[in-house]
């Protein structure tokens, strides 16, 4: 039996294609409604799986073309993050057979295909791919800057997350590492080429430039709704990062930033001396920003793609304090009265200080000097 899948987001489309192929069906895919109609006419599928929100020809227009213009009764299964009741009702009025709301597991999708096609036993149900894989509502690109992380990269954790959370793409930026970080990343990517990529910088430019280059690179791909960054040492748990994404999805915020604030029920582990130094630096940062953010330097942030051009187009003036510069740029771009309503600082449930990234007193003095540089630069700009 033949299935046609139509979705403008490659991460989703390739995951659906892989699952349906494993089930034993013949599959064709299209990344737009117009291409989907062309394939429909030549492929003559037994089932069409289509997204609703696509540029150009929407999913409902595809349904209308099949049902009204071609007068065909081919079963149609909608797979969409659109939960608007009127859209769903319109879909059923046009004659769709089922509507799956993202996020949804591939196993549930397989069961719905089973029901629609009346297949008593799905082909190849003994497939080794039995893990729970979930198609996310949105596509998220995550930059992970790496400099000499050969010993600390938790390859298995990254691979597991990328394979289970369909819609996430992890972009590792190798920031001119002098050890075997690039080789480790290349090995990590094997078998996960669709969900993991490597952006290789020949020379070390510092974390600020690595994150900037990575985000600008990912922003060229229009499938990503949200873009963010995460530290390679995974001091921020992936579950917490996913919580940041959920907050962004369900709000009007432009950026959601993790915060390593001790609170009831949180598992926050940090060295006491480092904690004192960090608190002092944070007080200076709050004074410079003129905004009461508790932890601008947490290495876990997610933002809407519209933020990338205005916030990351120009190089940062510091190598490490770019988080402060992002907020300063937002303040100038949106205005002081508006900016605080666009940034959410969300406490993490879990955060562990990783060995190998200790802040010395000398570093602290340099940071204070760089903060003064930031204050002068953005006041004068």
């Amino acid at each position: 039996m033949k299935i046609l899948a139509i979705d403008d987001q490659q991460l989703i489309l390739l995951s659906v294609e892989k699952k349906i192929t494993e089930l034993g069906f013949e599959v064709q895919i299209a990344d737009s409604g117009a291409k989907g109609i062309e394939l429909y006419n030549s492929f003559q599928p037994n089932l069409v799986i289509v997204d609703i929100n696509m540029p150009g020809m929407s999913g409902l227009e595809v349904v209308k073309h099949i049902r009204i213009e071609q007068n065909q009764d081919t079963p149609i299964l909608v797979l969409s993050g659109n939960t608007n009741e009127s859209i769903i009702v319109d879909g059923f009025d046009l004659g769709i057979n089922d509507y799956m709301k993202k996020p949804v597991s591939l196993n549930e999708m397989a069961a719905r295909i089973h029901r629609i096609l009346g297949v008593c036993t799905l082909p190849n149900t003994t497939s080794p791919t039995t893990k729970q894989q979930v198609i996310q509502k949105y596509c998220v690109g995550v930059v992970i800057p790496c400099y000499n992380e050969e010993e600390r990269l938790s390859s298995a954790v990254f691979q597991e997350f990328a394979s289970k959370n369909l819609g996430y793409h992890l972009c590792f930026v190798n920031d001119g590492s002098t050890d075997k970080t690039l080789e480790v990343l290349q090995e990590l990517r094997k078998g996960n080429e669709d969900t993991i990529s490597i952006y290789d910088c020949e020379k070390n430019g510092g974390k600020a430039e690595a994150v900037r280059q990575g985000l600008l690179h990912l922003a060229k791909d229009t499938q990503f709704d949200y873009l963010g960054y995460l530290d390679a040492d995974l001091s921020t748990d992936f579950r917490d990062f996913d919580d940041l994404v959920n907050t962004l999805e369900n709000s009007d915020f432009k950026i959601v930033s993790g915060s390593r604030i001790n609170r009831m029920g949180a598992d926050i582990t940090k060295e006491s001396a480092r904690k004192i130094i960090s608190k002092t630096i944070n007080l200076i940062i709050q004074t410079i920003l003129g905004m009461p953010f508790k932890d601008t330097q947490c290495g876990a942030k997610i933002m809407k793609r519209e933020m990338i051009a205005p916030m990351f187009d120009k190089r940062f003036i510091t190598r490490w304090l770019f988080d402060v510069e992002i907020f300063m740029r937002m303040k100038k771009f949106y205005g002081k009265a508006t900016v605080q309503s666009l940034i959410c600082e969300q406490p993490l449930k879990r955060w562990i200080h990783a060995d190998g990234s200790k802040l010395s007193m000398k570093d602290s003095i340099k940071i204070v000097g760089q903060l003064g540089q930031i204050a002068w630069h953005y006041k004068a700009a």
Side-chain angles (χ1 to χ4, degrees):
M1 301 184 81
K2 299 185 291 185
I3 295 178
L4 170 63
I6 309 170
D7 198 307
D8 64 306
Q9 294 179 306
Q10 284 291 316
L11 279 173
I12 304 300
L13 193 58
L14 293 175
S15 299
V16 170
E17 178 188 29
K18 183 178 180 181
K19 179 65 175 180
I20 296 173
T21 301
E22 287 175 351
L23 293 171
F25 294 101
E26 184 180 350
V27 188
Q28 291 283 344
I29 58 174
D31 61 5
S32 71
K35 291 180 182 178
I37 291 301
E38 289 181 17
L39 271 176
Y40 177 82
N41 294 330
S42 60
F43 187 49
Q44 297 184 343
N46 301 101
L47 172 68
V48 174
I49 300 176
V50 63
D51 184 24
I52 290 293
N53 298 330
M54 296 186 291
M57 179 181 286
S58 71
L60 285 185
E61 290 177 293
V62 172
V63 175
K64 187 181 296 184
H65 182 89
I66 294 172
R67 288 288 184 263
I68 299 175
E69 296 181 29
Q70 295 202 7
N71 194 29
Q72 297 294 317
D73 60 358
T74 306
I76 299 174
L77 171 60
V78 170
L79 171 62
S80 178
N82 194 320
T83 58
N84 186 303
E85 184 177 336
S86 63
I87 295 293
I88 297 173
V89 171
D90 287 345
F92 280 106
D93 286 342
L94 285 170
I96 66 170
N97 298 78
D98 203 352
Y99 196 108
M100 288 188 296
K101 299 178 184 178
K102 301 174 186 174
V104 63
S105 74
L106 287 180
N107 289 335
E108 180 180 339
M109 181 190 72
R112 290 175 184 258
I113 291 172
H114 179 159
R115 183 188 62 79
I116 291 174
L117 294 178
V119 182
C120 295
T121 303
L122 282 173
N124 294 347
T125 51
T126 57
S127 167
T129 307
T130 57
K131 56 190 174 186
Q132 181 77 342
Q133 296 177 293
V134 178
I135 298 174
Q136 303 300 316
K137 186 176 180 180
Y138 296 102
C139 281
V140 182
V142 185
V143 169
I144 303 164
C146 303
Y147 176 68
N148 289 353
E149 298 283 357
E150 174 189 353
E151 300 295 332
R152 298 199 304 169
L153 277 170
S154 301
S155 299
V157 177
F158 287 118
Q159 290 170 333
E160 182 181 17
F161 181 84
S163 65
K164 285 185 176 180
N165 296 274
L166 309 175
Y168 272 88
H169 180 91
L170 307 182
C171 176
F172 291 88
V173 178
N174 178 41
D175 186 24
S177 297
T178 56
D179 64 358
K180 295 182 179 179
T181 294
L182 183 58
E183 289 89 334
V184 172
L185 291 175
Q186 289 168 339
E187 189 64 30
L188 185 157
R189 187 170 182 252
K190 287 182 180 178
N192 298 279
E193 288 80 6
D194 294 332
T195 54
I196 295 176
S197 62
I198 302 169
Y199 187 88
D200 188 30
C201 302
E202 290 186 10
K203 296 181 179 180
N204 174 253
K207 184 178 179 181
E209 186 61 10
V211 169
R212 192 180 80 92
Q213 289 290 342
L215 288 173
L216 290 173
H217 170 69
L218 286 183
K220 295 175 184 177
D221 191 335
T222 58
Q223 72 174 314
F224 296 118
D225 302 289
Y226 307 135
L227 294 160
Y229 53 94
L230 185 68
D231 286 339
D233 60 19
L234 287 179
S235 52
T236 299
D237 193 284
F238 261 125
R239 290 167 293 178
D240 273 337
F241 192 83
D242 201 41
D243 286 344
L244 301 184
V245 173
N246 289 333
T247 297
L248 190 64
E249 285 181 8
N250 299 295
S251 69
D252 293 325
F253 295 123
K254 299 290 186 182
I255 181 170
V256 180
S257 176
S259 180
R260 299 159 292 185
I261 301 172
N262 282 310
R263 63 186 182 83
M264 191 69 74
D267 180 15
I268 307 295
T269 304
K270 187 188 283 190
E271 298 171 286
S272 57
R274 180 183 171 93
K275 189 174 180 180
I276 293 170
I277 295 171
S278 296
K279 278 190 173 183
T280 303
I281 291 173
N282 282 334
L283 285 173
I284 298 173
I285 290 173
Q286 288 181 47
T287 302
I288 292 172
L289 287 175
M291 294 184 283
F293 295 116
K294 301 294 185 182
D295 185 13
T296 58
Q297 297 309 104
C298 179
K301 290 179 175 62
I302 187 73
M303 63 200 76
K304 294 181 178 177
R305 67 173 297 116
E306 67 201 58
M307 295 289 296
I308 302 303
M311 298 303 119
F312 294 89
D313 184 51
K314 296 181 180 179
R315 291 178 67 103
F316 296 102
I317 64 171
T318 60
R319 288 168 62 94
W320 299 99
L321 296 174
F322 68 99
D323 302 84
V324 178
E325 293 192 59
I326 291 171
F327 289 172
M328 291 293 279
R329 290 178 180 186
M330 287 188 68
K331 186 177 177 180
K332 278 193 167 291
F333 190 80
Y334 291 104
K336 184 177 180 180
T338 303
V339 69
Q340 291 190 62
S341 66
L342 302 179
I343 304 172
C344 173
E345 191 175 36
Q346 181 165 304
L348 303 173
K349 296 185 179 72
R350 299 155 287 263
W351 187 83
I352 299 175
H353 170 68
D355 291 335
S357 58
K358 298 182 184 298
L359 184 67
S360 68
M361 185 60 67
K362 185 177 179 180
D363 292 329
S364 302
I365 294 171
K366 286 182 179 179
I367 286 174
V368 172
Q370 289 175 6
L371 286 172
Q373 185 183 3
I374 290 172
W376 180 85
H377 176 85
Y378 286 96
K379 183 177 181 180

